[in-house]
Amino acid sequence: MLRTEELTKTFRSEEVETIALSKVNLAVEEGEFVSVMGPSGCGKTTLLNILGLLDSPTQGKYWLNGIEVSRLSELKRTRIRRGNIGFVFQSFNLIEELSVYHNVELPLLYMGVSSGERKRRVNEVLDQVKISHRKKNFPRQLSGGQQQRVAIARAVVSRPKLILADEPTGNLDSVNGEEIMSLLTQLNNDGTTIVMVTHSSADADKAHRIIQLFDGHIITERIKKAMQIG
Amino acid sequence: MRSICIPVKGISEGDIAEVEVRVLKSDLVWKYRLESFKLPNTGKSPSDTIKRIDSLRKLIKEYDQSWELIQILDTIEASEYVHILYRKKTKND
Ligand SMILES: Nc1ncnc2c1ncn2[C@@H]1O[C@H](COP(=O)(O)OP(=O)(O)O)[C@@H](O)[C@H]1O
Ligand SMILES: [Mg+2]
């Protein structure tokens, strides 16, 4: 599904240079669920942003579905992202001015999906995450757990093969966190590849493999369970 | 319920804390160990970082194999110590 070679990212301001990622070699197979852990500031979000084509590396290579994408223009990256990659963030990142329904519909509008098909798919995913009864509400009218369910619906409505989740349970209590984790696990069981950043070792345990980052380097990898093939 | 949060007081850098969780009326036992390790230096230069990473990788690799690394914890910036949470492996691991 994806592979990086010596992926390096440095941020430069006037005085300081921060090495956020250093020579990261990572391969994720289709259908895999991988957790990324590590102390604050170790480069987890930077890694996810590069994997999600929201940012590009300073050095190194990145293959997504066999295509080397590290040097593509912003426009080409956006095109690849749409419909292929779904994002879930710690702070939900829903659009406050749009209803639940319209938040989830948005990715399909960008993709130019017909209105009938949009309606069908939005309702389907809202059912899937059990939030249909709230589709006319606005994000601020929902609890954190409900907002994250909407965010997951928005991430999956375009049926991406890859979901990138950055601390998806970070702002949730344990009951809501568990519900989000079971949604993600279900998506993975249905074949979606997931890379998830987390601070929770209980959440990380749901993955096939756990990667530990420290100071921008991969320190260790632990295999939790074999991936079910087919 | 998926976790128990235990405040660990009075532990200084370099100390080791061990916690045993036992489910009463069953055989379930988990042992956790929080240990801090001193890293060679706290410098910011790339070669300092590489030295630190190498020694961290080495100490993890050479650590008692009956324990598995669960998490490298947040450290205070520029601290010489890194805190690591381990769990004793069970028959199933
Ligand atoms: N846009 C940016 N500009 C400058 N430095 C950044 C930027 N984004 C991240 N960093 C730095 O890169 C390092 C890694 O950050 P990040 O990937 O956000 O860490 P994590 O998600 O693991 O907490 C940190 O030192 C952070 O300060
Ligand atoms: Mg982050």
Side-chain angles (χ1 to χ4, degrees), chain A residues 11-12 18-20 38-47 166-167 197:
Chain A
F11 291 105
R12 206 178 304 255
T18 311
I19 304 176
S40 298
C42 72
K44 303 179 296 293
T45 295
T46 304
L47 176 63
D166 196 351
E167 301 189 38
V197 166

Side-chain angles (χ1 to χ4, degrees), chain A residues 19 37-40 174 177-178 181 199-203 205 212-215 217-220 222 224, chain B residues 1-3 32 39 46 49-50 52-53 56-57 60 68-75 82 85 87 93:
Chain A
I19 304 176
M37 300 189 86
S40 298
S174 67
E178 240 168 288
M181 283 313 300
H199 271 113
S200 154
S201 60
D203 291 351
D205 268 356
Q212 304 281 348
L213 273 184
F214 187 82
D215 272 4
H217 295 70
I218 290 183
I219 299 290
T220 64
R222 179 157 63 99
K224 278 303 296 177
Chain B
M1 188 178 64
R2 48 180 199 163
S3 58
Y32 287 88
L39 293 181
T49 303
I50 287 169
R52 207 159 45 236
I53 296 295
L56 182 58
R57 282 192 179 129
I60 287 170
E68 71 179 344
L69 186 151
I70 297 295
Q71 197 165 0
I72 304 169
L73 297 157
D74 279 7
T75 39
V82 58
L85 182 68
R87 184 174 55 205
D93 287 318

Side-chain angles (χ1 to χ4, degrees), chain A residues 71-111:
Chain A
R71 301 282 171 274
L72 294 183
S73 66
E74 174 76 45
L75 184 70
K76 283 195 175 139
R77 279 193 273 134
T78 306
R79 275 202 199 122
I80 296 181
R81 211 159 54 223
R82 276 188 195 147
N84 287 309
I85 305 175
F87 293 91
V88 182
F89 303 94
Q90 177 177 6
S91 50
F92 324 130
N93 291 17
L94 298 172
I95 298 174
E96 290 298 330
E97 292 76 20
L98 297 180
S99 68
V100 164
Y101 182 93
H102 289 117
N103 262 284
V104 176
E105 186 187 30
L106 203 56
L108 300 181
L109 278 170
Y110 284 136
M111 288 166 68

